[in-house]
Amino acid sequence: MRVFMILILLFSGLFFTTKNHEQNYLLDSEILAQFFIDHNYEITNVEIVIHSYITKDQYELFEQYVNNPHREHSLVETYSGHFVNENKVKLVYKIKANEWKESTQNEISHIFSNDKLHQILQNSKVYSCFQSEINGNIDSNKVIDQIVDYFKIKVKNSMEETGFKVKSGTTKFFDQYIPSNNGDINIQFALRDQALTKKVVTVGTPILVNEY
């Protein structure tokens, strides 16, 4: 849907850095979720996207894990693997849920804490995005102020169209970031009018990679 801002960031020389090599990716999701919980915005979509370059053997182990028929889970998981060469695979692994509750957190925690999977994905790029549909009568600027104030964001990029606003910047809440022409980017959020009765609020780190 709205992907042009993401593409600007991606094709302006995307590379990932983290100031904390022990970054807890589940913690990023919990921090994002807490904003929606604190403001009584029902979470209607959760998406975690993992990008990783792994070996052929690691890819085979990953497939065995994800496709294990004995795994019990309610998350929607999809993945794709592109062979860069005969022994190197670019993996894109997506985890989706339409709510955020204890069982969702436990399932995601189990994925990140699995020893074998952790070894395979330890050098991955992880994008976490949360979304909510809120009352269309709520002022968009009020929601923007709530997000900026909650995460103490220094806004670096901003774009507005009729019925649509997207901003990105820097916050101390997250360690992963993407350098851009205006400085480090590690949070992005968007508001979109949906019909007359709803607004879609999306917040992600370090940038949004889902439809918003």
Side-chain angles (χ1 to χ4, degrees), residues 78-95:
T78 59
Y79 69 92
S80 63
H82 171 69
F83 277 81
V84 178
N85 57 44
E86 62 181 15
N87 193 46
K88 188 176 183 180
V89 181
K90 180 181 179 181
L91 172 69
V92 178
Y93 175 34
K94 297 182 180 181
I95 304 167

Side-chain angles (χ1 to χ4, degrees), residues 12 31 34 38 41 54 56 75 79 95 164 172 192 194:
S12 63
I31 293 170
Q34 197 60 48
D38 287 355
Y41 297 150
I54 58 179
K56 179 182 177 182
L75 301 171
Y79 69 92
I95 304 167
F164 175 74
K172 294 182 178 179
R192 173 172 54 85
Q194 183 168 295

Side-chain angles (χ1 to χ4, degrees), residues 168-182:
S168 59
T170 302
T171 173
K172 294 182 178 179
F173 279 69
F174 308 114
D175 289 328
Q176 290 188 109
Y177 66 94
I178 294 174
S180 75
N181 292 335
N182 292 330

Side-chain angles (χ1 to χ4, degrees), residues 3-128:
V3 297
F4 43 87
M5 190 165 186
I6 291 174
L7 291 174
I8 290 172
L9 289 168
L10 290 177
F11 291 103
S12 63
L14 169 66
F15 63 94
F16 239 79
T17 50
T18 175
K19 298 171 183 174
N20 178 4
H21 295 293
E22 301 301 323
Q23 171 69 13
N24 184 333
Y25 298 121
L26 178 61
L27 179 60
D28 285 355
S29 295
E30 291 172 341
I31 293 170
L32 289 172
Q34 197 60 48
F35 163 78
F36 291 88
I37 294 169
D38 287 355
H39 291 85
N40 294 317
Y41 297 150
E42 181 182 2
I43 296 168
T44 55
N45 183 44
V46 178
E47 186 166 347
I48 299 173
V49 182
I50 301 169
H51 290 197
S52 188
Y53 286 93
I54 58 179
T55 66
K56 179 182 177 182
D57 289 342
Q58 288 176 322
Y59 183 62
E60 290 175 353
L61 289 173
F62 171 82
E63 287 192 301
Q64 290 175 14
Y65 171 83
V66 173
N67 297 322
N68 184 345
H70 301 295
R71 282 183 65 212
E72 294 184 4
H73 62 95
S74 61
L75 301 171
V76 177
E77 296 173 89
T78 59
Y79 69 92
S80 63
H82 171 69
F83 277 81
V84 178
N85 57 44
E86 62 181 15
N87 193 46
K88 188 176 183 180
V89 181
K90 180 181 179 181
L91 172 69
V92 178
Y93 175 34
K94 297 182 180 181
I95 304 167
K96 295 183 180 182
N98 58 11
E99 59 185 345
W100 184 257
K101 57 184 182 179
E102 186 175 356
S103 61
T104 311
Q105 297 176 58
N106 289 340
E107 288 186 48
I108 295 174
S109 177
H110 180 74
I111 290 172
F112 284 121
S113 63
N114 180 276
D115 289 339
K116 290 183 179 179
L117 205 60
H118 177 73
Q119 291 179 7
I120 294 171
L121 302 176
Q122 61 182 337
N123 295 316
S124 300
K125 305 169 184 177
V126 180
Y127 307 80
S128 302

Side-chain angles (χ1 to χ4, degrees), residues 31-32 35-36 39 41 130 132 134 139-155 165-171 173-174 187-192 200-204 208:
I31 293 170
L32 289 172
F35 163 78
F36 291 88
H39 291 85
Y41 297 150
F130 280 67
S132 176
I134 65 173
D139 183 66
S140 293
N141 290 325
K142 176 184 176 181
V143 181
I144 288 172
D145 289 343
Q146 289 174 340
I147 296 170
V148 170
D149 291 345
Y150 186 89
F151 292 103
K152 297 178 174 58
I153 300 171
K154 182 178 181 181
V155 176
K165 299 181 180 184
V166 59
K167 298 178 184 291
S168 59
T170 302
T171 173
F173 279 69
F174 308 114
I187 188 167
Q188 189 173 43
F189 58 95
L191 276 82
R192 173 172 54 85
V200 178
V201 182
T202 312
V203 185
L208 301 175

